[in-house]
Amino acid sequence: MGDIDWAEINEKLPSARTPEAKAERKKMFDLFDPNGNGVLSLAEVDKAMRDVLAVDDLFDAKPAIMRAFQIAKACTASTRSDGVGDDYIEFREFRFFLLSLRQYFEYHVAFTRSDENSDKKISLEEFVGAQEQMEKWVGPIGDLEGEFSKIDINGGGAILFDEFVQWAITKNLDLEDDDDKIE
């Protein structure tokens, strides 16, 4: 992933705790929810990423969308009487979804920049080759092979996106070129 317009990403994901941002989120939620049932399915979110947000970099970051959806739908228990809320995102979870999407997108960009051959996994060779840029994001790593083994939770010989995210969270990964300003 080359140049990301982080200001546009942040603008398209209104997460501030202001009445204006909440009103913007409500309008956006309604656009994400074309059938008006008050909950968002993964399919509706995916379609809205393309049609409502219209940011190709976000739309193409399927692993980030999936993780953000999964964590947001589980962040609170549904109060809906029809029993379907826990499998979907409700409006009260939507701000958390947008915040999570922004963070997981940053992890996705870092992962993609480290995945030299674009096979959706990071080999030891790629990890070692990305040392300099990764240390900009997380600080000194030290024993690269040992760190790689810790990240490769399933022992498959490569780092998958979910494994990378768990590591990135513990390391407080922060890309040097993103705009972290969230109002």
Side-chain angles (χ1 to χ4, degrees):
M1 298 196 112
D3 294 331
I4 303 291
D5 186 345
W6 291 103
E8 178 189 24
I9 299 288
N10 290 341
E11 181 183 324
K12 296 270 183 142
L13 304 174
S15 58
R17 289 186 182 266
T18 64
E20 299 80 18
K22 185 174 183 178
E24 192 176 344
R25 279 192 303 278
K26 178 62 177 141
K27 286 180 196 171
M28 182 184 290
F29 185 90
D30 291 344
L31 292 171
F32 273 51
D33 183 22
N35 61 9
N37 66 352
V39 292
L40 304 178
S41 69
L42 180 58
E44 288 171 326
V45 167
D46 189 50
K47 185 176 184 316
M49 298 300 291
R50 182 192 67 216
D51 299 344
V52 176
L53 293 183
V55 178
D56 289 342
D57 288 325
L58 276 175
F59 177 69
D60 293 339
K62 299 300 184 199
I65 296 168
M66 176 62 89
R67 286 211 47 131
F69 180 85
Q70 295 299 328
I71 198 167
K73 76 179 180 85
C75 75
T76 61
S78 177
T79 57
R80 291 175 57 104
S81 61
D82 59 9
V84 299
D86 286 337
D87 294 327
Y88 302 92
I89 295 175
E90 298 176 46
F91 178 69
R92 64 195 180 108
E93 299 163 323
F94 193 57
R95 178 178 178 273
F96 186 67
F97 168 73
L98 297 175
L99 285 166
S100 299
L101 179 61
R102 167 59 177 81
Q103 191 62 51
Y104 286 121
F105 179 68
E106 183 172 350
Y107 298 149
H108 184 266
V109 170
F111 182 86
T112 303
R113 288 178 181 172
S114 303
D115 178 17
E116 287 286 318
N117 64 3
S118 302
D119 64 352
K120 300 188 183 342
K121 55 188 174 183
I122 299 172
S123 67
L124 176 59
E125 182 180 312
E126 289 170 321
F127 188 73
V128 170
Q131 178 182 5
E132 185 177 328
Q133 72 179 357
M134 282 202 199
E135 287 184 340
K136 289 178 187 174
W137 306 332
V138 302
I141 295 175
D143 175 17
L144 289 172
E145 288 188 26
E147 194 72 13
F148 181 89
S149 293
K150 283 194 281 185
I151 301 168
D152 180 18
I153 297 167
N154 72 1
I159 299 170
L160 305 176
F161 181 69
D162 284 349
E163 295 170 328
F164 183 81
V165 165
Q166 289 179 34
W167 176 76
I169 290 169
T170 65
K171 294 292 189 177
N172 196 26
L173 184 144
D174 185 26
L175 293 177
E176 75 282 2
D177 62 336
D178 75 321
D179 179 359
D180 291 323
K181 184 180 177 194
I182 298 176
E183 299 173 8

